[in-house]
Every structure is written in structure tokens, then in C-alpha cells.
Amino acid sequence: MHELAVVGGGVIGLAVAWRAAAAGHRVTVFDPSPERAASRVAGGMLAPVTEAWPGEEDVLALGEESLRRWPEFATRLASDGYDPALSTAGTVVAAFDRADADTLRTVASYLHDLGRDADYVQARQLRRHEPGLSNAVTGGLVVPGDLAVDTRLLLDSLRMAALQRGAALLSEEVTAVEPGEGDRIEVRTLATTRRFDRVVVAAGAWSGRLLPDLAQHIRPLKGEILRLRARPTTLPPPARTVRAMVEGEPVYLVPRAGGHDGDIVLGATQYEAGFDTAVTARGVRRLLDAAERVFPGIAEYEVVETAAGLRAGSADNLPLLGEVGGGVYAATGHHRGGLLLAPVTADAIAAWLAGEPVPPAVDAAHPNRVKERV
Amino acid sequence: MHELAVVGGGVIGLAVAWRAAAAGHRVTVFDPSPERAASRVAGGMLAPVTEAWPGEEDVLALGEESLRRWPEFATRLASDGYDPALSTAGTVVAAFDRADADTLRTVASYLHDLGRDADYVQARQLRRHEPGLSNAVTGGLVVPGDLAVDTRLLLDSLRMAALQRGAALLSEEVTAVEPGEGDRIEVRTLATTRRFDRVVVAAGAWSGRLLPDLAQHIRPLKGEILRLRARPTTLPPPARTVRAMVEGEPVYLVPRAGGHDGDIVLGATQYEAGFDTAVTARGVRRLLDAAERVFPGIAEYEVVETAAGLRAGSADNLPLLGEVGGGVYAATGHHRGGLLLAPVTADAIAAWLAGEPVPPAVDAAHPNRVKERV
């Protein structure tokens, strides 16, 4: 049994805390403002496949490793009393022209090579699945295997389950993680200094402040989303996650299974903008413009929320996951994949705490790969 | 001295209540949800001139009558301790092409005939006034006389001043206004029935429910606005109100003098949508798109609010202002002009309560003009 500090109360921190607490460790989570977690501002696609691209095999392998764990992760969370309402409806990726179609056929064939199910179909057949798609859509990729989750329901579920398993959640900002006496690690906040024998830094884009060796490899990537709500007079939302490229920028519409019926999360912009989290006029306009081109009925939906979050980017899009020394673990740099990668990350930390091995896909994400390059 | 009920706590109701209370009447304002007032969702342009168009002389005459009263209205409010921060920076109306320019020259010449100052200038000169205007702007009308007001600051000021002058504000919904015993008028809410000797119905788009003879002449016109905020890295807001037609739809950017420095109110869409007040994806997208074409720097502004309100439309764009019988007055149908027309409306009610005459421009707005047509 370890005394474990988890710095960060987003999806990674809470998943790690819940799993570690369930395994019998004594867990303390530090987060002064969990509402700023990037995972609160996320579509909730658990979609390594349609995010995949030849050349990022390590990213896909880790994503697939985690996707396989998602159903059991959700089942265990539900059996703790907090069902995160996993959606199994899959994804549709729409094409507008021949270039899009060629790209999606390439992705389909790449996925077939990986043993995954993914078919490119013509517009007529596509609209049988999703009748609300624009007439300008010429075809699309149908991917049955992708999952989606209501991000806020998941975060609430993880927090409640972690508390129930005995974790403590402290609303304090950690200012330093340093070696202490003996094998202890000091975790300092503005108010106190506490001692632990293991520490997981899962502070997303803010992790660099606590992991100086990795600081230059973690950068904030701002993303904006909108939440839109169907109304009695509008088309219902799509049944599946719908994705497309519009003027070179990716857009996704993720229907929310849990919570309000008829909500869609529309995302996401991506900027390098430091720690700025303002929702900009341009971001909102681009998202709405793109969404209307893919799913015209959304024009009459109600805009119920605009939000921005900071994803933790790494240079190679793989997270930074592993021990950085002296019982301190990095679990950050999850970029657009925090929701997807929560189960494999939580399982990896649990394995390390128990002295057990982790799968090769997790080893590939070890922070040493970037430290050696410094 | 009268016992006066005012139904409606928007800008018209509050202005009437404040003036009447200051004149010594005993005033009760009824409004269960003043936050839904159309005047809370308004740019705050006091601009009869740039709204003017040949053929609506009655509307312009009433607007000019009220505009003349605005400085004294603001001064009196300030001397009661609640300065509404009147802006005197004026308006710029931007043109994109020859058709726009021709239209604006027509407006300029029409305004000159009316003795108003308004010059059409070329792009170079226009940008000396407003350097943030798009390069696509070819020229524009500069109107020094237009005023603007921070709508929410004004509403707060009127409410506080009315309370200080002895008015009572009740959070109750009026369900009926009916003749009572003697010369008294019964004002019924779900909770109570109270008696008054004069009643002003200033319930905006909801007024028709209490004025059955006028019900078919008052219709809700939905309008959406956005509030955007300049940031340290952006261009500052324009100094003046900036207006333009973009793809046949009017757009305005009103800089806020009071409140947060650097805010712009961007408006406004207009729909016939019943009593629906959802902010729609299309409305937001159109406003942002239009604003970026006029003032490109706004793309980097923060979107801090989206809102929709219901203006009270009348068939001829003139308000319905006058006694409808038995001591009950209509003060509704102010459409896009509620802020502008608050002083003349409040003065008219005060005059009628004192048995004094009103100017011809007010007589022209009497509800008899539509009742006779029924």
C-alpha cells in the first residue's frame, strides 16, 4: 500500500486516483480548479481509429490498447455505482470532394490492415445512416467500432467513485514536488507541505511547472467547443459522432447520450496561444460555419455553451507516461486523447504501484524518449 | 396625485415609473422577470437618424422628439444619483460597394433636408475616424449627432432612481387589467388583486395579453446579440457605433462606454419566431461573420455573452402610445426604439397624468390609429 498524491483532477488524475484507491492505496488528489480540466471541454470521442494516420503507429497502438480497456473500465465504474453511459454508436467521417474521398479510402485501407472494421460508402448509403447530413456530402467512412462518452458525466462519475473508494480531494494548488527525507516526496501547496511515497503528476498543460526536465516538451494547445441543443422544431441530432474536414480544419459533432437529450458537442479549434482560455469570435464562427456545412439542421439549434480548454500537447502526440525518478510519475501530454487514454493510463500507474509490468504500447510513451533528446 | 400601476420593468416601464414617481404619483411596477426585457438585449444606439428612411417620417419625428430630450433625461437621472453614462461619440455607417454608397448618400441628403449633420466620406477619410474598419469598406456616412447608452447601466440607474423616488417594484406577473368599482382599475396577479386609478401597460411583446383590442397589432420580434470583449493583444474597439449592411442584413457594433472597458455589443438579428428566445447557431454565426467583415480585428475578441430578447413590433414601426380607455394607457410596440423613445414616452405619460398636452409626434402614435382599422 502506498501513500499516493495525484496532482490534477481532470480525467487522467481522477481515473488514476479511482483505480489506485480501489487497489487499496491511500490517495490524495490536488486540484484547485477542476473546472478548467481540458477533459471538461472535450467531445468525448474514444476514437483512435478515425484520428489515426500512417506514421503515428505508437499513438494508435496506445489508443487501441486503451479502447480495448474502455468497456471493462466503464463496467467497473458502473459497478461502483457511477455508470458513465458509454455510447457504442460509432463514427461517420463525411467527405465533400474527391480529395476527401481519397483520403478516407486510404484511412479505411490502413484500418483494414490493422484488422479494424471501416467502410467507405457513397452519399446515398451514408444518408441512410445519417439523414441530416448535407447534400454537399458525397460519401463517407463508417466506423462502427468507435466509442463515445459524456465527458462531464464521466468526470462526475470518476470523482464520486474515487471519493467512495476513500480518496481525498483537496482544492489546493501544488507549487512544488520535491525529494524529502528518506524515500518521502514533499508535495507543497501555498498552505501546506505534505509527504507521500509516490506522486503522479497529471496536471495536463500545467504539468511542466512540476516536471522541470519535461517542461519544454509539454505545451498548452487551446481548444474551443460549443454545446448546441436540439429543439422541438429542429432535426434530431445525428445518431453517431460525425466528423469532417471543412476548409482544411477538422470538425466533429458528438451527440450526448447522457444528460440532456438532444445536445451536441461541437468541436474543436486548436491554437498555440499560451495559457489563454478566452473563447474567441473567430473560433465560434469557424465551428458554427463548419457544422452548418456538414449538418445544416444545426443552424436552428440553440447555442447553450461556449468553452475553451487547454490540452497538454507533446511533440510526437504520444503522452508522457512513466516514472521520471524518485517515485514521481508523469501522466500528462495526452493532447486530444485524454478521455480515450484514461483507462490505459490508470492501469499503467496501478501496475507500477504494484511492481507489475506494463504493455509495450505504454513503455513506448515513457518520458525518457524526450529527456534523452534534451 | 394618482395611484399608478406600471406593468413591465423594462426601459419603458422603469422610465415611466421614475418620472411619475418624481412628479409625486404613487407608483407600483409589476414585473416577474425584468431580466427578459428586450432593452437588456439591445445595443443602446439612440440613433433615429441612421435608422431613418423616407416614408417613416412619423417614426423619425418621434425619435427626434425623444433624442432632443435624452440629454436632459440623462442629466436628471444623474442628478438623482444614477448617471447612465451617455456616449456622444456618434455613428459611422460603412459602405462596401456602390449600391451601399448610393443608399447612404440618399440618407445623407434626406437628413440634410431635415437639418441634420451627416456626411458621406471616402474610405481614406473614414479610416481616419475608425482605423479598424475593413479594407473592403469603400466609404461611409459619419453622423456626429447620434447618442448611445450602456443599456444595462441605464436599466440599473432607472430602477434605483425609481425606488429612491418611492416607487414599489413587485415581482408578480399581471394576469389581467380590468375596470373595477367606481373609477378604479383592478390589476390582478396570481397572488393578489390591487386597485389603481391609472395603469400603464409597458409589457413590451407581452402587452397584447393585457390589451385585447391591440393584441393583433403587437407581435414579438426576436433579436439576438453578442457581447465581445477586447483583449490586450487585440485592436481596441471602434470609438463610435459602427453600422453596415452585410448580405442584406444590418449589423451594428456598439462600444460600451460604461462597464468593462473594451466591450462591444454586436447585434442584431431579427426573426418572427413567436415567444422563442433561444440563441441559435445561425444567429450567432451570421452576427460574427458580418462583424468580421466590417471590423476584422473582432475575430480575436472574447465572446463573453450570447443573448436573445423579444422586441415588441407594430405594423407601422410606430409605438402604441396613449390611453386605450378608462385610465389604462398603452406604452408598447417600441420595436427597436425602446431605449431611444424612453424619455418621450415617460414625458408623455407624465403629461397625461397631469392633464397636459403632448407634442404632435406623440399624438401620431396613439393606438386609435390601429383600433380604427380593426
Side-chain angles (χ1 to χ4, degrees), chain A residues 97-363:
Chain A
D97 54 27
R98 187 168 297 184
D100 287 350
D102 288 349
T103 302
L104 292 177
R105 285 203 183 89
T106 305
V107 173
S109 115
Y110 171 58
L111 295 170
H112 286 154
D113 293 350
L114 296 164
R116 291 294 309 260
D117 193 10
D119 285 318
Y120 188 86
V121 301
Q122 296 302 322
R124 202 169 170 184
Q125 199 178 336
L126 191 64
R127 259 189 288 277
R128 242 175 265 147
H129 292 292
E130 292 297 345
L133 291 176
S134 160
N135 286 330
V137 170
T138 56
L141 191 64
V142 179
V143 189
D146 283 345
L147 303 175
V149 72
D150 183 327
T151 50
R152 292 182 187 175
L153 181 61
L154 174 66
L155 286 164
D156 291 347
S157 299
L158 285 171
R159 194 183 63 246
M160 296 304 293
L163 285 169
Q164 187 175 283
R165 288 288 192 170
L169 268 59
L170 299 183
S171 181
E172 293 179 35
E173 183 172 352
V174 174
T175 53
V177 174
E178 287 174 4
E181 281 180 31
D183 287 341
R184 306 288 277 174
I185 308 161
E186 289 192 347
V187 173
R188 295 203 193 123
T189 72
L190 289 177
T192 62
T193 298
R194 291 186 186 76
R195 285 160 198 85
F196 298 87
D197 58 328
R198 294 288 187 277
V199 175
V200 174
V201 178
W206 293 270
S207 300
R209 299 176 185 175
L210 303 176
L211 300 169
D213 288 353
L214 301 179
Q216 68 182 101
H217 299 284
I218 305 164
R219 66 191 199 287
L221 289 169
K222 177 175 160 183
E224 293 158 314
I225 62 153
L226 302 178
R227 189 176 282 253
L228 302 167
R229 187 162 296 164
R231 302 192 291 150
T233 53
T234 63
L235 275 184
R240 296 157 190 76
T241 294
V242 174
R243 309 185 53 169
M245 294 295 287
V246 178
E247 293 186 354
E249 307 216 25
V251 60
Y252 57 74
L253 290 75
V254 187
R256 275 283 169 271
H260 282 273
D261 275 339
D263 274 13
I264 287 180
V265 175
L266 166 62
T269 59
Q270 183 164 311
Y271 313 91
E272 306 255 357
F275 284 90
D276 169 46
T277 54
V279 175
T280 64
R282 172 179 289 138
V284 173
R285 200 254 304 150
R286 281 193 180 172
L287 286 173
L288 291 175
D289 196 49
E292 271 192 62
R293 294 209 211 173
V294 176
F295 190 85
I298 210 168
E300 303 305 330
Y301 277 43
E302 181 173 5
V303 178
V304 291
E305 187 185 345
T306 64
L310 297 174
R311 307 181 195 103
S314 70
D316 55 7
N317 290 335
L318 254 187
L320 296 159
L321 181 54
E323 188 174 2
V324 292
V328 176
Y329 296 81
T332 182
H334 288 76
H335 196 207
R336 299 164 66 97
L339 275 300
L340 170 65
L341 299 174
V344 76
T345 302
D347 286 352
I349 298 287
W352 286 319
L353 293 176
E356 292 166 4
V358 294
V362 172
D363 279 328

Side-chain angles (χ1 to χ4, degrees), chain B residues 135-176:
Chain B
N135 286 329
V137 170
T138 57
L141 192 64
V142 179
V143 189
D146 283 345
L147 302 175
V149 71
D150 183 326
T151 50
R152 293 182 188 175
L153 181 60
L154 174 66
L155 287 164
D156 291 347
S157 299
L158 285 170
R159 193 184 62 246
M160 296 304 293
L163 284 169
Q164 187 175 284
R165 288 288 191 170
L169 270 59
L170 299 184
S171 182
E172 292 179 35
E173 183 172 351
V174 174
T175 53

Side-chain angles (χ1 to χ4, degrees), chain B residues 230-300:
Chain B
R231 302 193 290 149
T233 53
T234 63
L235 274 185
R240 296 157 190 76
T241 294
V242 174
R243 309 186 52 171
M245 295 295 287
V246 177
E247 292 184 356
E249 308 216 26
V251 60
Y252 57 74
L253 290 76
V254 187
R256 275 283 169 268
H260 282 275
D261 276 339
D263 274 14
I264 286 179
V265 175
L266 166 62
T269 58
Q270 183 163 311
Y271 312 92
E272 306 255 356
F275 284 89
D276 168 46
T277 54
V279 175
T280 64
R282 172 180 289 139
V284 173
R285 199 254 304 150
R286 280 193 180 172
L287 287 173
L288 291 175
D289 197 47
E292 271 192 61
R293 293 209 212 173
V294 177
F295 190 86
I298 212 168
E300 303 304 330

Side-chain angles (χ1 to χ4, degrees), chain B residues 84-106:
Chain B
L86 201 59
S87 158
T88 57
T91 302
V92 155
V93 192
F96 288 102
D97 55 27
R98 188 168 296 185
D100 287 351
D102 288 347
T103 302
L104 292 177
R105 285 203 184 90
T106 305

Side-chain angles (χ1 to χ4, degrees), chain B residues 324-344:
Chain B
V324 291
V328 176
Y329 295 82
T332 182
H334 288 76
H335 197 208
R336 299 164 66 98
L339 276 299
L340 170 64
L341 299 174
V344 78

